[in-house]
Amino acid sequence: MPPNRLHKGYKCCDEATDFFWLHFYTTGKFKYMDKPIYDKNHKQKANYQFTKEPFHISLPQHGSLTAEQQSQMAEYMNTIVQVKIDKTKPKKDFYSSTVSQLKSQQLFFSILSILCDIHEPNTKNVAEKIYEHFSLFYTESFDLKKLSDEYAFHPTHIIRCVKNKYGLSPLQLLLHIRIQKAKELLTYTNFSINKVAISVGFDDNAYFTKQFKRIVGTTPTNYRKQQQINKI
């Protein structure tokens, strides 16, 4: 998690869940990047036997651990943990360190080593999942809270992900998908404009025409006529 962010969820966990918070600081500069930085192993120079090149540490923001990594991480974290929070108790429990400062640093770098080896999970991000959801259920009414509950993300996070991926808000994305489906019906069926509107999720024919013209640049009727001319 980036620094200076609030450590807070937006809904209760559905099952027993443990969180480990590892707080650390950098004495040098740090920055966020879309891709990690990998340093090459340089051949040792004859005249600089005891000099090492500066190197980078890239920590992924998201990822998953293998079973072996989970076991190692839990062992390291439990060894250096000094504060425990139990929501059923009125106060935090503070503990003295059970290992030396040097040992703590060794464990800390072991933890960093595990984190550096984490790869982004090979799953579609939330924006792509929502796009697929809209493509399948475009006739359903838009409900941001329902999306939030289904994908277990805060509504603000969902909006941000969709905008970053498609340059549109979730509602705008749904409208674009509906209009695309409407274009197909106008081209390949003889449905009336009103039936096309209802078929793609619009209850109001006037609103459908307004959104269609805004996105496509022409009315549904003119679009159908143009498609018929192109077929000739």
Side-chain angles (χ1 to χ4, degrees), residues 119-169:
H119 297 287
E120 290 284 346
N122 189 25
T123 56
K124 297 178 180 178
N125 64 35
V126 64
E128 292 173 326
K129 290 181 179 179
I130 288 176
Y131 184 94
E132 289 189 351
H133 175 87
F134 284 161
S135 297
L136 292 173
F137 305 104
Y138 54 88
T139 59
E140 294 184 359
S141 58
F142 178 76
D143 190 334
L144 184 58
K145 184 180 183 304
K146 184 178 178 181
L147 286 176
S148 176
D149 292 338
E150 181 170 347
Y151 293 99
F153 285 109
H154 192 279
T156 302
H157 179 73
I158 289 178
I159 293 172
R160 181 167 59 249
C161 288
V162 173
K163 276 192 173 182
N164 288 341
K165 178 70 176 180
Y166 301 107
L168 302 167
S169 70

Side-chain angles (χ1 to χ4, degrees), residues 31-79:
K31 58 183 176 181
Y32 307 111
M33 303 185 70
D34 293 332
K35 296 182 179 179
I37 298 176
Y38 297 105
D39 292 295
K40 296 181 180 178
N41 292 324
H42 298 283
K43 183 179 180 180
Q44 185 66 61
K45 297 179 181 179
N47 297 330
Y48 300 93
Q49 292 92 337
F50 306 106
T51 302
K52 286 294 183 180
E53 296 284 341
F55 65 94
H56 301 87
I57 296 177
S58 292
L59 301 178
Q61 187 172 13
H62 305 284
S64 58
L65 299 172
T66 64
E68 181 180 357
Q69 289 173 326
Q70 289 180 40
S71 177
Q72 290 179 334
M73 183 72 81
E75 179 183 350
Y76 298 152
M77 295 292 281
N78 280 316
T79 302

Side-chain angles (χ1 to χ4, degrees), residues 166-202:
Y166 301 107
L168 302 167
S169 70
L171 177 57
Q172 291 171 334
L173 179 62
L174 175 59
L175 289 174
H176 274 71
I177 291 174
R178 285 178 173 179
I179 296 303
Q180 182 59 41
K181 300 294 183 181
K183 288 167 64 177
E184 294 174 6
L185 292 177
L186 290 169
T187 302
Y188 300 110
T189 73
N190 293 321
F191 291 173
S192 67
I193 303 300
N194 186 56
K195 186 174 182 179
V196 169
I198 294 174
S199 298
V200 298
F202 288 95

